[in-house]
Amino acid sequence: MLSLLAASGGIADPILWSELGLRSYLFEVGSFQLRFYSLAYLIGVMFAYWHLSRMIKSPGAPMAQRHADDLFFYCTLGVILGGRIGYTIFYNPSIWANPLDVLKLWEGGMSFHGGLVGVLIAIAWVSRRGKLSFLRVCDFIAVNVPVGMLLGRLANFVNGELWGRQTDVAWGMVFCDGAPRAGVECATTGMVRHPSQLYQAGLEGLALLIIMMVLFWMTRARYRAGLLVGIFTLGMGIARFVNEFFREPDAQLAEFAAETGLSMGQWLTIPLILIGLIVTIYAVTRKPVGTGNAAPEAA
Protein backbone atom coordinates (compact mmCIF):
# COMPACT_ATOMS: atom_id res chain seq x y z
CA MET A 1 0.00 0.00 0.00
CA LEU A 2 1.01 3.56 -0.65
CA SER A 3 1.92 5.82 2.23
CA LEU A 4 2.61 9.56 2.17
CA LEU A 5 6.02 10.71 3.24
CA ALA A 6 5.51 12.95 6.26
CA ALA A 7 8.41 15.20 5.49
CA SER A 8 8.21 15.82 1.77
CA GLY A 9 4.65 14.88 0.78
CA GLY A 10 6.07 12.43 -1.79
CA ILE A 11 5.39 8.70 -1.96
CA ALA A 12 7.41 6.02 -0.19
CA ASP A 13 6.34 3.05 -2.28
CA PRO A 14 5.07 3.99 -5.76
CA ILE A 15 3.01 1.42 -7.60
CA LEU A 16 5.08 -0.71 -9.94
CA TRP A 17 3.15 -1.42 -13.12
CA SER A 18 5.17 -4.60 -13.66
CA GLU A 19 3.85 -6.01 -10.36
CA LEU A 20 0.18 -5.63 -11.32
CA GLY A 21 0.28 -8.89 -13.24
CA LEU A 22 -0.98 -7.31 -16.47
CA ARG A 23 -0.18 -8.47 -19.98
CA SER A 24 -0.91 -7.08 -23.42
CA TYR A 25 -2.99 -10.02 -24.69
CA LEU A 26 -6.00 -12.05 -23.59
CA PHE A 27 -4.73 -15.38 -24.89
CA GLU A 28 -2.32 -16.81 -27.43
CA VAL A 29 -2.39 -19.78 -29.75
CA GLY A 30 0.98 -20.53 -31.23
CA SER A 31 2.33 -17.25 -32.59
CA PHE A 32 -1.13 -15.61 -32.57
CA GLN A 33 -2.05 -13.29 -29.70
CA LEU A 34 -5.43 -11.66 -29.18
CA ARG A 35 -4.22 -8.29 -27.88
CA PHE A 36 -6.35 -6.14 -25.61
CA TYR A 37 -5.83 -3.12 -27.87
CA SER A 38 -7.30 -5.00 -30.83
CA LEU A 39 -10.06 -6.32 -28.59
CA ALA A 40 -10.87 -2.76 -27.49
CA TYR A 41 -11.42 -1.73 -31.12
CA LEU A 42 -13.50 -4.84 -31.82
CA ILE A 43 -15.75 -4.46 -28.77
CA GLY A 44 -16.08 -0.70 -29.35
CA VAL A 45 -17.21 -1.17 -32.94
CA MET A 46 -19.57 -4.04 -32.09
CA PHE A 47 -21.15 -2.07 -29.24
CA ALA A 48 -21.58 0.95 -31.50
CA TYR A 49 -23.39 -1.16 -34.11
CA TRP A 50 -25.64 -2.85 -31.52
CA HIS A 51 -26.49 0.37 -29.73
CA LEU A 52 -27.02 2.34 -32.95
CA SER A 53 -29.46 -0.36 -34.07
CA ARG A 54 -31.42 0.28 -30.86
CA MET A 55 -31.19 4.05 -31.22
CA ILE A 56 -32.70 4.12 -34.69
CA LYS A 57 -35.83 2.44 -33.35
CA SER A 58 -36.52 5.54 -31.23
CA PRO A 59 -38.84 8.32 -32.47
CA GLY A 60 -37.26 10.79 -34.87
CA ALA A 61 -34.44 8.53 -36.04
CA PRO A 62 -32.72 9.94 -39.16
CA MET A 63 -31.89 6.58 -40.77
CA ALA A 64 -33.01 3.00 -41.25
CA GLN A 65 -31.24 -0.26 -40.42
CA ARG A 66 -29.71 -0.53 -43.87
CA HIS A 67 -27.98 2.80 -43.31
CA ALA A 68 -26.68 1.59 -39.94
CA ASP A 69 -25.25 -1.48 -41.68
CA ASP A 70 -23.41 0.73 -44.18
CA LEU A 71 -22.14 3.00 -41.40
CA PHE A 72 -20.81 -0.02 -39.50
CA PHE A 73 -18.56 -0.93 -42.42
CA TYR A 74 -17.43 2.51 -43.57
CA CYS A 75 -16.93 3.99 -40.09
CA THR A 76 -14.80 1.00 -39.06
CA LEU A 77 -12.68 1.57 -42.16
CA GLY A 78 -12.52 5.28 -41.40
CA VAL A 79 -11.39 4.74 -37.80
CA ILE A 80 -8.59 2.35 -38.76
CA LEU A 81 -7.23 4.11 -41.86
CA GLY A 82 -7.88 7.63 -40.59
CA GLY A 83 -6.35 6.86 -37.20
CA ARG A 84 -3.20 5.38 -38.72
CA ILE A 85 -2.72 8.06 -41.39
CA GLY A 86 -3.42 10.79 -38.83
CA TYR A 87 -0.76 9.35 -36.52
CA THR A 88 1.72 9.32 -39.37
CA ILE A 89 0.99 12.93 -40.36
CA PHE A 90 0.80 14.55 -36.93
CA TYR A 91 2.91 12.39 -34.64
CA ASN A 92 5.46 10.36 -36.61
CA PRO A 93 6.11 11.71 -40.13
CA SER A 94 9.25 9.55 -40.38
CA ILE A 95 6.94 6.64 -41.29
CA TRP A 96 6.49 8.26 -44.71
CA ALA A 97 10.09 7.25 -45.51
CA ASN A 98 8.62 3.82 -46.18
CA PRO A 99 4.96 4.40 -47.15
CA LEU A 100 4.08 0.71 -46.76
CA ASP A 101 4.78 1.08 -43.03
CA VAL A 102 1.63 3.20 -42.78
CA LEU A 103 -0.35 -0.01 -43.25
CA LYS A 104 1.45 -1.85 -40.43
CA LEU A 105 -1.34 -1.44 -37.90
CA TRP A 106 0.10 -4.14 -35.67
CA GLU A 107 3.08 -1.91 -34.87
CA GLY A 108 0.78 0.55 -33.06
CA GLY A 109 0.32 4.28 -33.41
CA MET A 110 -3.21 5.65 -33.89
CA SER A 111 -4.49 9.23 -33.80
CA PHE A 112 -7.89 10.17 -32.40
CA HIS A 113 -8.06 13.22 -34.65
CA GLY A 114 -7.21 11.15 -37.72
CA GLY A 115 -9.82 8.57 -36.80
CA LEU A 116 -12.36 11.36 -36.31
CA VAL A 117 -11.71 12.68 -39.81
CA GLY A 118 -12.02 9.17 -41.19
CA VAL A 119 -15.39 8.68 -39.48
CA LEU A 120 -16.68 12.05 -40.73
CA ILE A 121 -15.75 11.11 -44.29
CA ALA A 122 -17.56 7.77 -43.86
CA ILE A 123 -20.67 9.49 -42.49
CA ALA A 124 -20.62 12.02 -45.33
CA TRP A 125 -20.40 9.19 -47.88
CA VAL A 126 -23.26 7.17 -46.39
CA SER A 127 -25.40 10.29 -45.85
CA ARG A 128 -24.97 11.44 -49.44
CA ARG A 129 -25.75 8.01 -50.87
CA GLY A 130 -28.81 7.59 -48.64
CA LYS A 131 -29.95 11.25 -48.85
CA LEU A 132 -29.74 11.54 -45.07
CA SER A 133 -29.13 14.54 -42.83
CA PHE A 134 -25.38 14.57 -42.25
CA LEU A 135 -25.68 16.47 -38.98
CA ARG A 136 -28.33 14.19 -37.50
CA VAL A 137 -26.42 11.05 -38.47
CA CYS A 138 -23.39 12.56 -36.70
CA ASP A 139 -25.58 13.01 -33.61
CA PHE A 140 -26.43 9.33 -33.49
CA ILE A 141 -22.84 8.19 -34.13
CA ALA A 142 -21.37 10.56 -31.52
CA VAL A 143 -23.33 8.91 -28.69
CA ASN A 144 -21.45 5.66 -29.28
CA VAL A 145 -17.87 6.90 -29.59
CA PRO A 146 -16.97 7.21 -25.86
CA VAL A 147 -17.18 3.44 -25.39
CA GLY A 148 -14.30 2.97 -27.80
CA MET A 149 -12.34 5.75 -26.09
CA LEU A 150 -12.87 4.15 -22.68
CA LEU A 151 -11.76 0.69 -23.81
CA GLY A 152 -8.85 2.02 -25.86
CA ARG A 153 -7.36 3.95 -22.93
CA LEU A 154 -7.82 1.00 -20.60
CA ALA A 155 -5.95 -1.11 -23.17
CA ASN A 156 -3.14 1.48 -23.18
CA PHE A 157 -2.88 1.09 -19.41
CA VAL A 158 -2.87 -2.70 -19.60
CA ASN A 159 -0.11 -2.46 -22.22
CA GLY A 160 1.91 -0.12 -19.98
CA GLU A 161 2.18 2.51 -22.73
CA LEU A 162 1.38 6.20 -23.26
CA TRP A 163 2.11 6.95 -19.62
CA GLY A 164 1.94 10.34 -17.95
CA ARG A 165 4.41 13.01 -16.87
CA GLN A 166 6.67 12.67 -13.86
CA THR A 167 4.87 13.31 -10.57
CA ASP A 168 4.98 12.86 -6.79
CA VAL A 169 1.27 12.17 -6.24
CA ALA A 170 0.37 9.28 -3.95
CA TRP A 171 -1.06 7.20 -6.81
CA GLY A 172 1.96 7.69 -9.07
CA MET A 173 3.23 4.65 -10.95
CA VAL A 174 6.50 3.35 -12.28
CA PHE A 175 5.69 2.02 -15.74
CA CYS A 176 9.22 1.27 -16.85
CA ASP A 177 11.33 -0.37 -14.17
CA GLY A 178 13.94 -1.90 -16.44
CA ALA A 179 12.13 -5.15 -17.14
CA PRO A 180 12.32 -5.95 -20.87
CA ARG A 181 9.01 -5.43 -22.64
CA ALA A 182 8.66 -5.44 -26.42
CA GLY A 183 7.86 -2.09 -27.98
CA VAL A 184 8.32 -0.04 -24.77
CA GLU A 185 11.15 2.46 -24.36
CA CYS A 186 12.82 2.22 -20.95
CA ALA A 187 14.93 5.37 -21.11
CA THR A 188 13.08 6.76 -18.07
CA THR A 189 13.52 3.75 -15.79
CA GLY A 190 12.29 4.29 -12.25
CA MET A 191 10.45 7.57 -12.80
CA VAL A 192 7.14 7.89 -10.97
CA ARG A 193 4.48 9.05 -13.41
CA HIS A 194 0.80 9.92 -13.65
CA PRO A 195 -1.35 6.97 -14.80
CA SER A 196 -2.72 9.35 -17.43
CA GLN A 197 -4.28 6.51 -19.40
CA LEU A 198 -6.76 6.10 -16.54
CA TYR A 199 -7.44 9.84 -16.46
CA GLN A 200 -8.27 9.71 -20.16
CA ALA A 201 -10.41 6.60 -19.74
CA GLY A 202 -12.35 8.40 -17.02
CA LEU A 203 -12.88 11.78 -18.68
CA GLU A 204 -12.85 11.03 -22.41
CA GLY A 205 -14.49 7.66 -21.94
CA LEU A 206 -16.70 7.03 -18.92
CA ALA A 207 -17.74 10.61 -18.08
CA LEU A 208 -18.54 11.49 -21.69
CA LEU A 209 -20.36 8.18 -22.17
CA ILE A 210 -22.66 8.91 -19.22
CA ILE A 211 -23.35 12.44 -20.48
CA MET A 212 -24.16 11.30 -24.02
CA MET A 213 -26.37 8.40 -22.89
CA VAL A 214 -28.34 10.60 -20.52
CA LEU A 215 -28.81 13.27 -23.19
CA PHE A 216 -30.02 10.78 -25.77
CA TRP A 217 -32.26 8.51 -23.69
CA MET A 218 -33.52 10.89 -21.00
CA THR A 219 -33.88 14.25 -22.80
CA ARG A 220 -35.10 15.52 -26.16
CA ALA A 221 -31.60 16.47 -27.31
CA ARG A 222 -31.80 14.15 -30.31
CA TYR A 223 -34.52 16.34 -31.82
CA ARG A 224 -32.12 19.29 -32.17
CA ALA A 225 -29.89 18.56 -35.15
CA GLY A 226 -26.25 18.92 -34.20
CA LEU A 227 -26.73 19.20 -30.43
CA LEU A 228 -25.43 15.75 -29.52
CA VAL A 229 -22.40 15.86 -31.80
CA GLY A 230 -21.72 19.45 -30.75
CA ILE A 231 -21.69 18.54 -27.05
CA PHE A 232 -19.61 15.45 -27.75
CA THR A 233 -17.02 17.43 -29.72
CA LEU A 234 -16.87 20.17 -27.10
CA GLY A 235 -16.65 17.70 -24.23
CA MET A 236 -14.03 15.56 -25.93
CA GLY A 237 -11.97 18.62 -26.81
CA ILE A 238 -11.99 19.95 -23.25
CA ALA A 239 -11.28 16.54 -21.72
CA ARG A 240 -8.40 15.89 -24.13
CA PHE A 241 -6.92 19.37 -23.59
CA VAL A 242 -6.95 18.91 -19.80
CA ASN A 243 -5.60 15.36 -19.90
CA GLU A 244 -2.67 16.37 -22.09
CA PHE A 245 -1.26 18.34 -19.14
CA PHE A 246 -0.72 14.98 -17.40
CA ARG A 247 0.32 12.87 -20.39
CA GLU A 248 3.95 12.59 -21.44
CA PRO A 249 4.35 13.97 -25.00
CA ASP A 250 5.49 11.51 -27.64
CA ALA A 251 9.28 11.28 -27.59
CA GLN A 252 9.65 12.64 -31.11
CA LEU A 253 7.44 15.64 -30.21
CA ALA A 254 8.84 16.49 -26.78
CA GLU A 255 10.89 19.36 -28.19
CA PHE A 256 7.85 20.70 -30.04
CA ALA A 257 5.84 20.71 -26.80
CA ALA A 258 8.65 22.46 -24.92
CA GLU A 259 8.98 25.17 -27.60
CA THR A 260 5.26 25.89 -28.05
CA GLY A 261 4.09 25.39 -24.47
CA LEU A 262 1.41 22.91 -25.57
CA SER A 263 1.57 19.34 -26.82
CA MET A 264 0.62 18.39 -30.35
CA GLY A 265 -2.55 16.81 -28.94
CA GLN A 266 -3.54 20.12 -27.35
CA TRP A 267 -2.94 22.14 -30.51
CA LEU A 268 -5.07 19.67 -32.47
CA THR A 269 -7.77 19.84 -29.80
CA ILE A 270 -8.26 23.62 -29.87
CA PRO A 271 -10.14 23.47 -33.23
CA LEU A 272 -12.33 20.69 -31.77
CA ILE A 273 -13.36 22.90 -28.86
CA LEU A 274 -14.20 25.80 -31.19
CA ILE A 275 -16.13 23.61 -33.63
CA GLY A 276 -18.02 21.91 -30.80
CA LEU A 277 -19.01 25.27 -29.34
CA ILE A 278 -20.17 26.63 -32.71
CA VAL A 279 -22.20 23.50 -33.55
CA THR A 280 -23.80 23.44 -30.08
CA ILE A 281 -24.84 27.10 -30.33
CA TYR A 282 -26.19 26.47 -33.84
CA ALA A 283 -28.23 23.51 -32.59
CA VAL A 284 -29.85 25.25 -29.64
CA THR A 285 -30.85 28.26 -31.76
CA ARG A 286 -32.69 26.14 -34.34
CA LYS A 287 -36.14 24.61 -34.12
CA PRO A 288 -36.34 20.92 -33.16
CA VAL A 289 -36.84 18.45 -35.99
CA GLY A 290 -40.01 16.35 -36.35
CA THR A 291 -40.80 13.64 -33.84
CA GLY A 292 -42.15 10.96 -36.15
CA ASN A 293 -40.97 7.35 -35.92
CA ALA A 294 -38.53 7.85 -38.76
CA ALA A 295 -37.27 10.60 -40.96
CA PRO A 296 -38.84 10.60 -44.45
CA GLU A 297 -35.53 9.88 -46.10
CA ALA A 298 -34.98 6.83 -43.88
CA ALA A 299 -38.27 5.18 -44.75
Side-chain angles (χ1 to χ4, degrees):
M1 297 294 293
L2 296 178
S3 59
L4 295 176
L5 287 178
S8 64
I11 55 177
D13 300 307
I15 301 171
L16 299 181
W17 180 93
S18 60
E19 293 184 357
L20 296 179
L22 302 175
R23 62 184 186 183
S24 62
Y25 60 92
L26 180 62
F27 65 82
E28 61 180 340
V29 178
S31 60
F32 171 79
Q33 292 182 337
L34 179 58
R35 294 182 174 271
F36 283 112
Y37 198 67
S38 300
L39 197 59
Y41 270 89
L42 179 61
I43 295 176
V45 170
M46 295 302 296
F47 171 85
Y49 177 71
W50 169 79
H51 190 249
L52 179 62
S53 296
R54 288 193 60 200
M55 293 169 68
I56 62 177
K57 293 180 174 64
S58 63
M63 69 187 90
Q65 185 61 50
R66 66 178 183 276
H67 302 122
D69 295 342
D70 288 343
L71 284 166
F72 171 73
F73 173 76
Y74 289 110
C75 285
T76 300
L77 198 62
V79 166
I80 295 174
L81 294 182
R84 184 61 176 166
I85 293 173
Y87 174 79
T88 302
I89 293 175
F90 298 121
Y91 295 96
N92 199 354
S94 62
I95 294 178
W96 291 119
N98 187 356
L100 290 180
D101 287 348
V102 176
L103 302 178
K104 295 181 179 179
L105 306 177
W106 56 90
E107 293 186 354
M110 298 288 281
S111 164
F112 164 76
H113 300 87
L116 178 62
V117 172
V119 169
L120 288 176
I121 292 174
I123 293 174
W125 171 251
V126 173
S127 297
R128 182 173 181 179
R129 286 179 56 190
K131 297 181 180 180
L132 308 176
S133 166
F134 171 76
L135 205 54
R136 298 205 64 224
V137 173
C138 285
D139 282 336
F140 275 58
I141 295 297
V143 175
N144 300 287
V145 176
V147 172
M149 299 300 299
L150 169 62
L151 296 175
R153 293 312 176 192
L154 290 177
N156 290 146
F157 179 76
V158 170
N159 289 344
E161 61 190 6
L162 302 183
W163 49 60
R165 300 174 190 261
Q166 193 171 2
T167 183
D168 62 355
V169 298
W171 55 89
M173 293 187 179
V174 175
F175 286 94
C176 202
D177 57 4
R181 286 188 284 131
V184 177
E185 295 290 341
C186 280
T188 57
T189 300
M191 285 189 178
V192 181
R193 296 178 173 277
H194 284 287
S196 58
Q197 314 98 320
L198 300 182
Y199 303 170
Q200 290 184 279
L203 279 180
E204 301 169 21
L206 183 60
L208 201 53
L209 174 63
I210 293 173
I211 291 171
M212 299 305 295
M213 288 293 180
V214 168
L215 285 174
F216 185 87
W217 291 111
M218 302 181 67
T219 76
R220 298 176 64 82
R222 65 177 176 269
Y223 296 123
R224 291 190 177 275
L227 183 56
L228 289 170
V229 71
I231 292 176
F232 165 78
T233 305
L234 181 60
M236 178 61 72
I238 294 174
R240 174 61 63 89
F241 190 88
V242 171
N243 280 325
E244 285 287 327
F245 283 114
F246 301 97
R247 181 177 179 272
E248 181 74 9
D250 292 51
Q252 68 273 19
L253 294 174
E255 185 176 347
F256 172 85
E259 291 178 351
T260 64
L262 296 175
S263 68
M264 175 63 78
Q266 286 174 311
W267 284 113
L268 293 175
T269 295
I270 291 174
L272 282 184
I273 296 175
L274 295 176
I275 292 172
L277 184 60
I278 291 171
V279 174
T280 300
I281 293 174
Y282 169 85
V284 298
T285 57
R286 296 296 185 276
K287 293 182 178 181
V289 297
T291 57
N293 290 331
E297 63 270 20

